[in-house]
Structure formats: structure tokens, C-alpha cells
Amino acid sequence: MSKIAALDTYDVRFPTSRQLDGSDAMNPDPDYSAAYVVMRTDQPGLAGYGLAFTIGRGNDVQKAAIDTLNDHVAGLDLDEVIDDLGGFAKRLVGDSQLRWLGPEKGVMHMAIGAVINAAWDLAARVAGKPLWRFIADMSPEQLVATIDFRYLTDALTPDEALTMLHTAAPTKLRRTSQLLAEGYPAYTTSPGWLGYSDEKMQRLAREAVAEGFRTIKLKVGMNVEDDVRRCRLARAAVGPSVAIAVDANQRWDVPDAIRWLRHLKDFQLAWVEEPTSPDDILGHAAIRRAVAPVPISTGEHTHNRVMFKQLFQAGAVDLVQIDAARVGGVNENLAILLLAAKYGVRVFPHAGGVGLCELVQHLAMADFVAISGKKDDRAIEFVDHLHEHFTDPVVISGGTYVAPSAPGFSAQMHQDSVERYRYPDGPVWREPADTAKA
Amino acid sequence: MSKIAALDTYDVRFPTSRQLDGSDAMNPDPDYSAAYVVMRTDQPGLAGYGLAFTIGRGNDVQKAAIDTLNDHVAGLDLDEVIDDLGGFAKRLVGDSQLRWLGPEKGVMHMAIGAVINAAWDLAARVAGKPLWRFIADMSPEQLVATIDFRYLTDALTPDEALTMLHTAAPTKLRRTSQLLAEGYPAYTTSPGWLGYSDEKMQRLAREAVAEGFRTIKLKVGMNVEDDVRRCRLARAAVGPSVAIAVDANQRWDVPDAIRWLRHLKDFQLAWVEEPTSPDDILGHAAIRRAVAPVPISTGEHTHNRVMFKQLFQAGAVDLVQIDAARVGGVNENLAILLLAAKYGVRVFPHAGGVGLCELVQHLAMADFVAISGKKDDRAIEFVDHLHEHFTDPVVISGGTYVAPSAPGFSAQMHQDSVERYRYPDGPVWREPADTAKA
């Protein structure tokens, strides 16, 4: 009988701020980082991998939060964990003393999410399937059993979820074939970081179109004249038929957002992301009403299913960015995907970070096969950073994500990368800045 | 020129779970704990004190989060900090890398709140005033300058806040005299913990009335028959003219809350606290509409001013529990008090914990003198636990809080208590459970 041996954790940071990769109106100099966790078993070579994504300072706190969960996990029977991923998640989220630190938000919830994701990775590896397929192959009853419906039943009951999944079930195989043949649409944020020059942005935008992307995203929110100019230059670079989205990264108050977006009205934006505080459900609803028909979205910082529920109930968004490493793991993301499907809200997963593309592709693909049945009216973010550090990096072809085939959740990093970028003792952080490679 | 030398931090835990003090429907066995911070200066004997309250496990993570803030604080000029408490708070809350860990919620936001509160404590000590008076003596302009209005301007602008404070200013002295003469109303939760027997609850309820309390609060939410019986017994114990509030500690989904509260309708409850998830603004609004006129409240887990703003905008609550150690310190609580005053929502501060009574009394008293001008339609929670560990413990007389007179924010603990209850190495945690004193 195999056991979970321990959680090994690592504070891994990439010095991305040295080149302004990832810069936006609220995050001028992020160092993309991962509080990385290895759920080790007593079987040599068998482990699950997960991570919480941060942007630098505080990654040590995030790692410390994961460390506190070791006592909940070490010594558990492997089969009991992977056969009851719902119960496993509920025990972590439900620890009454740890719950006080959120509840279900911030550092502790992200830590719990990383450990839960490592357990799903482990379960998919044992099953020999990529995670998207492991989820898609679950029966409706098995999938519903993984979800904590607490605080959701005024919007979605277990019975409603079952009905939705049973409706989708007979055509799952057809969509699996379709996914394998076509991939899943991607959009790219690589041209649009705020720290890039106009020339670099236009060059990258043209390259993106040449590579097959049908949507690009620009960061906005620092200066309205700059934003108008960048939108105009981007439109000139990509032509009339490629969609342009913008992302304000929470820069505005509600009245500011409404004023600012009037200046961007002519660019037929695909969406405006994070116009204000991620907590401001009523604010998003007010902005959306005021600037209609400009589509409004949020989600990468939306901390749990209760907040997503309200975004949908309030009609606050046209689409959402789910994030694989912000909420309480796969279980909570399945709840959010079911809610989105019920309310008819499109999902454009967030992936600007390290490892987020690798993780979130599985959720979007499982959603297509088993839940919403849709992919062609949505897309997964793609940013071409740091994939080389992962053992099963994403594959992009012609502007689409190719469905991964290796078992697991694609979160495993090369141990060499982990050692090299460990903070503060890895060689990258001990070398002078001008010689280190980001 | 004095400097901030460093933040000294301590993981202090009281083994309250051994006697079921503090037990409720979601928190069956809390160990009341403090991630305690001393903002040391280079002047011997001059320091500011603050804490984040937790209920046990994870207090080490909370301490680690405060430790990361040392770099932001050590070496600062003392006068620059205490002369610009608004700028000090904004720099901590606005650190873009740390902000990712919330934003403005959970472990990192509580850590920032503890450090900000320590700075206010220090400022009040330097001024030789108790914090409530230090705030009340600020000019409207000085007070408004401490507040971050980001994400609030659709509900409250700096100009509106100034107008409110100028309206209250001419009568501040009168209310100061009134506060010193009358104290501030208290209510007590001591009888109502869920782990107590009916007999113990009734005895403590009678004692509370004899001591002058006009409101008591019971924990509910585990079993509806138990709740009905306990409400009946409590009413019998306190008589018809003492108010009874109940607290469900987030136990219910929205439909459950509505069904459950029908059973408690006859007890003329003063309020129903935390009926569901603290994140569920729309849920609270739905419950409030369905069970009207039963007053609904929440707030001790409401993580920042953006959430309070929406509770008020949505008409989701009749009253709120503010918490001195959950949000981003005094500055954010002043914003919340101004919002509550503007929307006409009564404030009943949360104080079930360690050090929370000591802290929150200052905020309620400052609100009475300088902001809302009201105290007789509201009350501060009082729980008679653990005050002996503080150097300036609260004083309760005839069911009212006596206004503190010692300089500062009353958060300083006896160093002897800190050493004795340090986790895991203090003597209380090394002794066998049956000999330790909680």
C-alpha cells in the first residue's frame, strides 16, 4: 500500500523584471515566481507536482504556507487520496484553524490549491492520462463528487450539475477527437507588455498574426493617450480581422474606467480585462452597463467560486479569466466552469505567468470535452516565457494549443531549473544581474 | 533623528481549545493566537505594537508574512512614518509584488494591517494620547489624508468625506466629554459559545445581565432544534428587555439560511451575524430580503473596504462587524467607518479573539467622537478572555467600555506572556495539556 511521503517545497524565482517581461499598469517589475511543491510518495519516481504562482517578493511566505500543509498530507494512503479527490480537497479547505487565514482566499488558499493540484497531477499520472483526459473520462457522478457546493446552491445544485454533465456525456468522444485534431484556440499577450516600445509591440504583433493567432492582448491603464496610440498601432499591425483585447490590471476606479473606455471605443475591443478591483462585483456590473456593448471581463485574481458565482449572478462580465493556481485547485475550477456554462459566460483562461499555460490548458480542454462543449468562441492565453523549465511544456501550433498527451498536469519543472533559480541561493540570484539569463 | 530599527515578531498561541472557549459552528476548537509584532525604534523603550489574530494553525505563516515586511520598515525615519501614516500604509499595501498575494486580502493583507497598526500605536505613543483621541484630534484634512480612496470613489469621494468630518468637527469636544463620562456600550458573547452546556450558558447570561450588559450573543448553526432551545433558554434567563443576537459563523448556504431563520423568528433577534460566506454580498442581500425584518450582519471576515462598500451599496446588511486586525489597519478601518456613516449602517465591532477588544474599542470611540457621532444605537463586542496578557487591558464597567487613557493602541502584551505562550517552544506548549493553564 503506497503512501504520500511528504511535500517538498521550493522558492523558485525568475528575474523577469530585468527585461520588463510581464510589466503592466499595476505590476511594473514582476519576477515571475513559483512556490513549487512536489508531493512525494514512497514509490521511487512517483510524485505529483503543483505550484502557486507569484511575482516575486512574498514567494517565501507562499512556500511557508504550503509547508504547513505537510502535516495534513504526509502518511496518507495514496489510493485514498486519488480515489477521493473531493474528500481530500474538502479536508484541506475545511481545516477550521487554517480557514481563518482566508477564508478561501489569499496565501493560504493558493497554498491549498497548489497541494490539491499536485494530488490531481499524481492521480492522472497513476491513471496514465493527461489531466484533461483524466477529468473528461470521469463519469458525471465522479466529477460532481469532487466539487464543494457549499455557498453555491442558490446558483447551482449538485443535481443541476449532474444534469449538465449527463447532457454533455454522449458526445464526449466526438469532442475528444475534435480536440486532438484541431487543438484549442490560443491568444497571445506577448506583444502587449507595457514596458515594450511601440516598435517592439508592433513587430511582435505582426509575428503573432503570422504564427496564426487570431487575438492579441495589450496592457493599458497608465496613460490614456498612450493607450489610444498603442491600440491604433496594434490595429495597423494586425489588420482588421484579428481581435484586440486590452487589460487594465485593476488600474481604475469605477468612474475612471467608464471615462477611460470612451476613448477606446473605436477599436472594437474583444474585451476589457480587469478594469477595476477584482473584488468589485457591483463595480464591474456598473462599468459593463455604462460602456455596453464593450465586453468586460475579470477573473485571474477572483479568489474563489463564491466570487465567480456573484459575477455571473450580477451580470457583471461577458467573459472570465479562470486561473489554475489562484483558487482551491482543480476541484474549485470545475465548480467555476460549471457555473460559467450554466450562465453562458465564455472562459478565456489566464496564463501570463510561469507554468500557468501548462496548467490551465488542461482545464480548458476538459471543459470543452465534458462540460461546456465549446472552444471556438473562446481561447487560452499564451505567453512565450519560461516554458523551457517544464518537463512537458505547452505546444503551440498555428495559434492553437496542441492537446498534451503525457500523463499528469504538466506542472513538473526540470530539477536543474529548480536548483538554478532557487531564491535566494540559486546561481542565478548569486550572479551579477547583467550576466544572468532570465 | 530617530529611526525604525526593526520588526520583532512572535508566534503566540493560547490553548483555548482545551476548554472550548471560542467554539462555534465553523470553528470547533480554536486556539486563539496572535502573530505579534513589535516595531522597535532606536530609542530605548519606544516601540509600536500590533498583531494579526488567528485561531492556531497557520499563525507561523502569518508571522512569516509580517517578517517579509521588515525590509520595508527597518531604517525608516520615525518622523516620516508618524507624520504621514497615509503614505506609510499606501507603500505597504501598494508593493506590487506582495499585492499579487491578495490583492488586499488574506495572510499578506492581515500582515500589512498588523504593521500599519503598530505604526499608529507608535504615533499615538509619541503624541502621548490613546489612539481614539489621537484620531479624534486630527483635523478632517489630516484624517482624510490617511485614507486610500482607490476603488471607493463611486461610493465615497475625498470631498464627501471631508464634508462629513467638517460637519462632525464642531461637536467633537462635547462627545469627548460624553465618552469619558458614559463609556461606550458593550455587548457580550461570553455566554454563547457553542461548546458550553445549557446550564453554563444560562448562568453566564444571567451574570451578564447582572453586570449591566443590554445585549448578549449566542452561537448558532449546528442544529436547528438546539438553536431554538438555546434561544428560548437564553430569553428565559435574560428577560424580555435584553437583546439577543445570534451568530452562525458562515455555516449556511443562502437557501439554508432562509429556512433556518424562519425557526428563529419568534425570538426578536437583535441581529443574525454571518449567515453565509463573508464573500457573498448578493447572498446576504437575498437573505436579508427573505427574512425581513430580521436584521442581517457580517464583517469580521470581510477582507477590505471594497467588500464593505458593496455590502452597503447592495443593501445587504443592517449593521456590520468591523475588525481591527483583518483589514489593512487603522487607515482602511477609517475608510470603512466613513462608508458606514454615509450609508447609515450601524457598527458593532468584532472582538471575539485575543487583543481584539483592546484594539477595536479605539476605532469605535474615534468613530463616535469624529465620524458618525453615534454610540447609543451600537455596541462593541466583549469577551472576557485573555485580557490579563495585555499591559493596558480593556476596562468594562456596568456593561460599557471605559475609554482608555494610556497612550497608544492598547496592543502591547506583557513580555512574560509572550515568552510563556510562544509556539512551539514556550512552557505552556511544552507542558502536558492537563497541567497547562489556558
Side-chain angles (χ1 to χ4, degrees):
Chain A
M1 194 93 91
S2 294
K3 300 274 187 196
I4 309 291
L7 300 177
D8 297 333
T9 60
Y10 304 88
D11 178 352
V12 183
R13 306 192 193 188
F14 300 92
T16 45
S17 65
R18 295 176 189 169
Q19 306 190 4
L20 297 185
D21 297 339
S23 56
D24 64 49
M26 291 293 273
N27 307 294
D29 55 355
D31 286 324
Y32 280 178
S33 303
Y36 179 61
V37 56
V38 181
M39 183 181 282
R40 198 155 36 80
T41 73
D42 58 9
Q43 288 188 39
L46 181 64
Y49 302 85
L51 60 86
F53 169 62
T54 81
I55 61 171
R57 282 184 292 282
N59 201 49
D60 50 339
V61 179
Q62 192 57 62
K63 175 185 176 301
I66 299 175
D67 286 332
T68 64
L69 300 169
N70 187 60
D71 288 348
H72 287 68
V73 173
L76 292 181
D77 196 81
L78 175 62
D79 287 342
E80 280 175 25
V81 171
I82 66 181
D83 291 347
D84 181 17
L85 289 161
F88 177 75
K90 265 187 203 169
R91 281 189 297 279
L92 290 181
V93 174
D95 177 302
S96 64
Q97 295 189 355
L98 294 178
R99 191 177 179 281
W100 191 271
L101 301 174
E104 301 189 52
K105 58 180 65 73
V107 168
M108 188 48 70
H109 201 49
M110 290 196 285
I112 289 170
V115 173
I116 290 173
N117 282 348
W120 281 84
D121 179 58
L122 187 50
R125 285 169 190 267
V126 169
K129 297 176 184 180
L131 184 79
W132 66 268
R133 193 156 203 159
F134 178 77
I135 296 169
D137 285 352
M138 286 178 148
S139 72
E141 288 72 17
Q142 287 173 320
L143 197 152
V144 162
T146 69
I147 294 176
D148 183 357
F149 283 88
R150 172 168 272 189
Y151 304 138
L152 294 187
T153 56
D154 56 325
L156 180 73
T157 65
D159 280 350
E160 284 178 290
L162 270 179
T163 302
M164 291 167 65
L165 294 168
H166 275 294
T167 304
T171 47
K172 282 200 290 191
L173 277 181
R174 195 193 70 213
R175 281 189 300 278
T176 301
S177 306
Q178 199 184 338
L179 177 67
L180 292 169
E182 301 172 0
Y184 194 107
Y187 78 88
T188 179
T189 309
S190 291
W193 302 111
L194 215 50
Y196 289 177
S197 69
D198 288 350
E199 291 68 31
K200 183 170 182 180
M201 180 271 286
Q202 280 197 301
R203 174 173 57 78
L204 293 172
R206 276 190 294 265
E207 288 174 14
V209 175
E211 289 163 21
F213 291 100
R214 307 304 301 156
T215 304
I216 66 164
K217 190 168 80 182
L218 306 179
K219 299 293 183 174
V220 297
M222 281 291 272
N223 177 294
V224 71
E225 286 78 29
D226 286 348
D227 291 349
V228 169
R229 189 188 69 251
R230 283 157 50 83
C231 282
R232 201 180 52 237
L233 292 173
R235 176 59 70 205
V238 302
S241 65
V242 168
I244 299 175
V246 300
D247 186 349
N249 290 90
Q250 314 169 25
R251 184 73 185 180
W252 303 312
D253 282 21
V254 172
D256 303 332
I258 294 168
R259 274 195 300 273
W260 200 292
L261 291 175
R262 293 212 176 104
H263 294 278
L264 302 182
K265 240 179 177 167
D266 295 340
F267 298 105
Q268 294 188 289
L269 299 174
W271 69 85
V272 176
E273 188 170 327
E274 289 204 304
T276 190
S277 164
D279 295 336
D280 201 346
I281 293 150
L282 301 178
H284 282 85
I287 294 165
R288 181 165 179 255
R289 280 193 304 272
V291 304
V294 177
I296 298 296
S297 79
T298 193
E300 74 180 64
H301 278 88
T302 304
H303 55 266
N304 63 32
R305 68 199 179 285
V306 181
M307 298 299 283
F308 278 100
K309 177 187 78 166
Q310 293 175 88
L311 287 169
F312 302 150
Q313 290 174 318
V317 289
D318 296 274
L319 49 99
V320 283
Q321 283 72 42
I322 63 167
D323 184 292
R326 170 74 58 185
V327 302
V330 172
N331 312 59
E332 191 159 29
N333 263 312
L334 292 173
I336 294 161
L337 289 166
L338 280 160
L339 283 164
K342 174 171 170 180
Y343 282 85
V345 171
R346 291 176 294 152
V347 176
F348 287 71
H350 171 240
V354 54
L356 298 183
C357 296
E358 277 68 23
L359 289 165
V360 85
Q361 61 177 339
H362 290 277
L363 302 175
M365 292 175 187
D367 174 67
F368 169 59
V369 176
I371 302 175
S372 76
K374 293 179 182 163
K375 71 175 175 63
D376 294 332
D377 62 349
R378 49 198 75 194
I380 306 168
E381 186 171 23
F382 173 67
V383 184
D384 197 6
H385 291 161
L386 308 172
H387 302 290
E388 65 275 21
H389 302 295
F390 289 83
T391 61
D392 183 28
V394 294
V395 177
I396 299 287
S397 170
T400 64
Y401 275 83
V402 176
S405 56
F409 202 175
S410 309
Q412 184 179 0
M413 297 177 72
H414 292 295
Q415 196 58 31
D416 173 63
S417 292
V418 172
E419 298 302 336
R420 187 164 159 70
Y421 290 90
R422 271 171 86 144
Y423 185 88
D425 51 333
V428 166
W429 292 103
R430 284 187 277 108
E431 288 168 15
D434 56 356
T435 66
K437 294 177 198 78
Chain B
M1 195 94 91
S2 293
K3 300 275 187 194
I4 309 291
L7 300 177
D8 298 333
T9 60
Y10 304 88
D11 178 352
V12 183
R13 307 191 194 189
F14 300 93
T16 45
S17 65
R18 295 176 190 168
Q19 306 190 4
L20 296 185
D21 297 339
S23 56
D24 64 50
M26 290 293 273
N27 307 294
D29 55 355
D31 285 324
Y32 281 177
S33 303
Y36 178 62
V37 55
V38 181
M39 183 180 284
R40 196 155 38 79
T41 73
D42 58 9
Q43 288 188 40
L46 181 65
Y49 302 85
L51 59 87
F53 169 62
T54 82
I55 61 172
R57 283 184 291 283
N59 200 48
D60 49 338
V61 179
Q62 192 59 61
K63 175 185 176 299
I66 299 175
D67 286 333
T68 64
L69 300 170
N70 188 60
D71 288 348
H72 288 67
V73 174
L76 292 181
D77 196 81
L78 174 62
D79 287 342
E80 281 176 23
V81 171
I82 65 182
D83 291 346
D84 181 18
L85 289 161
F88 178 74
K90 266 188 203 168
R91 282 189 297 279
L92 290 181
V93 174
D95 177 303
S96 64
Q97 295 189 357
L98 295 179
R99 191 177 181 280
W100 191 271
L101 301 175
E104 300 188 51
K105 57 180 66 72
V107 167
M108 189 48 69
H109 200 49
M110 291 197 284
I112 288 170
V115 173
I116 291 172
N117 282 349
W120 281 84
D121 178 58
L122 187 51
R125 285 169 189 268
V126 169
K129 297 176 184 179
L131 183 80
W132 66 266
R133 194 155 201 161
F134 177 78
I135 297 169
D137 285 351
M138 286 177 148
S139 71
E141 288 73 16
Q142 287 173 321
L143 197 153
V144 162
T146 68
I147 293 176
D148 183 357
F149 283 88
R150 173 167 271 189
Y151 304 138
L152 294 188
T153 56
D154 56 326
L156 180 74
T157 64
D159 281 349
E160 284 177 291
L162 270 179
T163 302
M164 291 168 64
L165 294 169
H166 275 295
T167 304
T171 47
K172 283 201 290 192
L173 278 181
R174 195 192 70 213
R175 281 189 299 279
T176 300
S177 306
Q178 200 185 337
L179 177 67
L180 292 169
E182 299 171 1
Y184 194 107
Y187 78 87
T188 179
T189 309
S190 291
W193 302 111
L194 215 51
Y196 289 177
S197 69
D198 288 349
E199 291 67 31
K200 183 170 181 178
M201 181 270 287
Q202 280 196 299
R203 175 173 57 77
L204 293 172
R206 276 189 294 265
E207 288 173 13
V209 175
E211 288 163 20
F213 292 100
R214 307 305 301 156
T215 304
I216 66 163
K217 191 167 80 181
L218 305 180
K219 300 293 184 174
V220 297
M222 281 291 272
N223 178 295
V224 71
E225 286 78 29
D226 286 349
D227 291 349
V228 169
R229 189 188 70 253
R230 283 158 49 83
C231 282
R232 202 179 51 238
L233 292 172
R235 176 59 70 205
V238 303
S241 64
V242 168
I244 298 175
V246 300
D247 186 350
N249 291 89
Q250 315 169 23
R251 184 71 184 181
W252 303 312
D253 282 22
V254 172
D256 303 332
I258 294 168
R259 273 194 301 272
W260 200 292
L261 291 176
R262 293 212 175 103
H263 294 277
L264 302 182
K265 240 179 178 169
D266 295 340
F267 298 105
Q268 293 188 287
L269 299 173
W271 70 85
V272 177
E273 188 169 326
E274 290 203 305
T276 190
S277 164
D279 295 337
D280 201 346
I281 293 150
L282 301 178
H284 281 85
I287 294 166
R288 181 166 178 253
R289 280 193 304 271
V291 304
V294 177
I296 297 297
S297 79
T298 193
E300 74 180 63
H301 278 88
T302 304
H303 54 266
N304 63 32
R305 68 199 180 285
V306 181
M307 299 299 282
F308 277 99
K309 176 186 77 166
Q310 292 175 88
L311 287 169
F312 302 149
Q313 289 174 319
V317 290
D318 296 273
L319 49 100
V320 283
Q321 283 72 42
I322 62 166
D323 184 291
R326 170 74 59 185
V327 302
V330 172
N331 312 60
E332 191 159 29
N333 262 312
L334 292 173
I336 294 161
L337 289 167
L338 280 160
L339 283 164
K342 173 169 172 181
Y343 282 85
V345 171
R346 291 175 294 152
V347 176
F348 286 70
H350 170 240
V354 55
L356 298 184
C357 296
E358 277 69 21
L359 288 166
V360 85
Q361 62 178 340
H362 290 278
L363 301 175
M365 291 175 188
D367 174 66
F368 169 60
V369 175
I371 302 175
S372 76
K374 293 180 182 163
K375 72 176 175 62
D376 294 332
D377 62 348
R378 51 198 73 194
I380 306 167
E381 186 171 22
F382 173 68
V383 185
D384 197 6
H385 290 161
L386 308 172
H387 302 290
E388 65 274 22
H389 302 295
F390 289 83
T391 60
D392 183 28
V394 294
V395 177
I396 299 288
S397 171
T400 64
Y401 275 83
V402 176
S405 57
F409 203 175
S410 309
Q412 184 180 1
M413 297 177 71
H414 292 295
Q415 196 58 31
D416 173 62
S417 291
V418 172
E419 299 302 335
R420 187 163 159 71
Y421 290 90
R422 271 172 87 144
Y423 185 87
D425 52 333
V428 166
W429 292 103
R430 283 187 278 106
E431 290 167 15
D434 55 357
T435 66
K437 296 178 198 77

